[in-house]
Each structure stands twice: as C-alpha cells, then as structure tokens.
Amino acid sequence: MVIGEWKLRPWLASDAEPVARYANNRKVWRNLLDAFPHPYTEADALRWIGDHQHDDPPTEFAIASDTEAIGAIGFRPGKDVGRRSAMVGYWLGEPYWGRGIATGAARALVDYAFKNFDLVRL
C-alpha cells in the first residue's frame, strides 16, 4: 500500500536495525501498550518481525521509505462476540512526526482492514 512517498509493506528481517533504532525512544514507548519493551533492542525487533512477517493475511505492517522501516501499524481482530471489531495500533520514529505519515498510514490500514476482513468497527 502506497501512502505518498511512504508505503505499508510486510516485515523483512532487514528491518530489525532501523526498527530498533527508532523504537528505542522513551517518547515512542510511553504511548504504547505495556507489551512494547523499553529499552527496545534489535533482538526485540527480530522477535516482532519473526512473529509477523509470514502472517496470512497480514494484519501488521512496516511503515517504510524506499530504504528502511520507520514505524509500524497494524490491527488485532477481536475474538468471540468482539470478532467483528479490531484494535488499531501504530508507532512512528520521532524524526518523522508531524508530517502526516501516521495519518496516511491509518487511512490506508482502515481501507485494507474493511476490504479484507469481516469487520464493522476499528
């Protein structure tokens, strides 16, 4: 999915270094779920990538330039009576804040989620 000069794409093993670099930031960490580690290491990034790079269909994406991952966005479908709802989460490396990148990524993700999953609520 292309969002201006950025794209949402599946995870690659080569994303580990830039993900660890951008995610290991207290300002990023303090706005995320408790499961997001801090400090954030390359091993954490490799674990995340390994857990999600083969999801089919994918629900977690790298927010990326042509050269590196600069953040992440995804959604988690609910279960049981919440199966038609999903929780959206994202983070973006601080050097990229304030450029509308996360807004564009969220719009693309919402469009993808509603077109490809039986959801009524994000």
Side-chain angles (χ1 to χ4, degrees), residues 11 18-41 44 48 63 69-73 89-98 102:
W11 289 100
V19 165
R21 182 170 16 100
Y22 293 123
N24 190 31
N25 178 330
R26 183 168 167 70
K27 292 178 187 176
V28 169
W29 167 77
R30 70 179 179 200
N31 292 303
L32 299 173
L33 295 174
D34 290 346
F36 196 88
H38 185 72
Y40 196 97
T41 66
D44 295 316
W48 171 260
I63 302 172
I70 60 166
I73 191 165
Y90 69 91
W91 66 266
L92 191 63
E94 187 176 8
Y96 300 95
W97 293 1

Side-chain angles (χ1 to χ4, degrees), residues 74-108:
F75 64 98
R76 290 187 187 156
K79 298 185 184 329
D80 198 69
V81 297
R83 71 189 172 281
R84 297 193 68 210
S85 297
M87 178 178 67
V88 174
Y90 69 91
W91 66 266
L92 191 63
E94 187 176 8
Y96 300 95
W97 293 1
R99 299 185 190 184
I101 298 166
T103 300
R107 286 182 179 137

